[in-house]
């Protein structure tokens, strides 16, 4: 792995930046009808695939540790992994979007793309490399049929 910053820490930093943007730069916030409902729906959209992904890893008795993908014992491809290779990170992204909607902060226009870029470059790509080494052809076939995010 290139960087061993746990994804939850990256998420918390991004969430803190969204909160700080909303509080420190209120002129960059807006309110709109259905704001809380959209935020609640995005929370659900984040918790469901993320939770299902963790349960799939536990069911398959493989590591959930994102800093040690080379310790994976099973290539999980069922459930939400049929649609996204990274449903846990997609779940975190949805939670960030929920925060952005709830606060109405336009700082999300910088924070959210930065989160996606950082996670892709420093977490997902190194994970993909490690999983390629562990699962070889099976992982290559999985890469060909399932997208990285959605």
């Amino acid at each position: 792995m290139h960087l061993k910053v746990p994804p939850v820490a990256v998420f918390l930093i991004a969430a803190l930046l969204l909160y700080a943007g909303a509080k420190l730069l209120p002129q960059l916030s807006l309110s709109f009808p259905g704001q809380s409902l959209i935020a609640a729906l995005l929370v659900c959209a984040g918790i469901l695939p993320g939770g299902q992904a963790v349960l799939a890893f536990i069911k398959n008795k493989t590591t959930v540790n994102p800093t040690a993908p080379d310790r994976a014992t099973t290539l999980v491809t069922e459930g939400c992994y049929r649609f996204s290779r990274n449903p846990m990170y997609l779940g975190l992204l949805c939670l960030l979007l929920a925060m952005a909607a709830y606060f109405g902060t336009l700082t999300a226009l910088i924070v959210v793309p930065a989160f996606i870029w950082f996670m892709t470059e420093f977490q997902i790509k190194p994970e993909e490399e490690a999983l390629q080494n562990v699962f070889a052809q099976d992982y290559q076939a999985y890469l060909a049929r399932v997208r990285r995010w959605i």
Side-chain angles (χ1 to χ4, degrees):
M1 299 280 296
H2 295 99
L3 187 63
K4 299 214 182 237
V5 178
V8 171
V10 176
F11 165 78
L12 291 174
I13 291 167
L16 183 63
L17 289 171
L18 288 175
Y19 179 78
K23 295 301 177 190
L24 299 175
L25 301 167
Q27 66 275 22
L28 292 179
S29 294
L30 50 92
S31 54
F32 51 90
Q35 196 165 351
S36 295
L37 176 62
I38 291 169
L41 291 173
L42 285 165
V43 166
C44 292
I47 291 173
L48 290 175
Q52 185 193 29
V54 170
L55 291 175
F57 273 42
I58 292 168
K59 176 185 159 203
N60 285 282
K61 297 181 174 102
T62 193
T63 184
V64 182
N65 184 350
T67 62
D70 53 331
R71 293 188 192 148
T73 56
T74 305
L75 179 60
V76 180
T77 60
E78 73 265 2
C80 56
Y81 283 94
R82 292 176 297 148
F83 309 106
S84 171
R85 296 195 310 255
N86 298 286
M88 290 182 217
Y89 305 146
L90 184 59
L92 294 177
L93 174 61
C94 287
L95 294 177
L96 286 178
L97 292 171
M99 285 185 66
Y102 181 77
F103 293 130
T105 181
L106 296 177
T107 58
L109 296 172
I110 295 170
V111 173
V112 171
F115 174 81
I116 294 168
W117 171 81
F118 188 91
M119 291 300 293
T120 299
E121 291 302 315
F122 296 106
Q123 187 65 41
I124 294 171
K125 286 182 179 179
E127 277 182 13
E128 289 174 345
E129 187 177 313
L131 293 172
Q132 177 67 46
N133 291 333
V134 174
F135 298 110
Q137 296 291 16
D138 289 340
Y139 190 68
Q140 197 62 38
Y142 180 62
L143 287 176
R145 71 176 185 273
V146 179
R147 295 173 60 102
R148 183 176 278 152
W149 284 91
I150 51 173

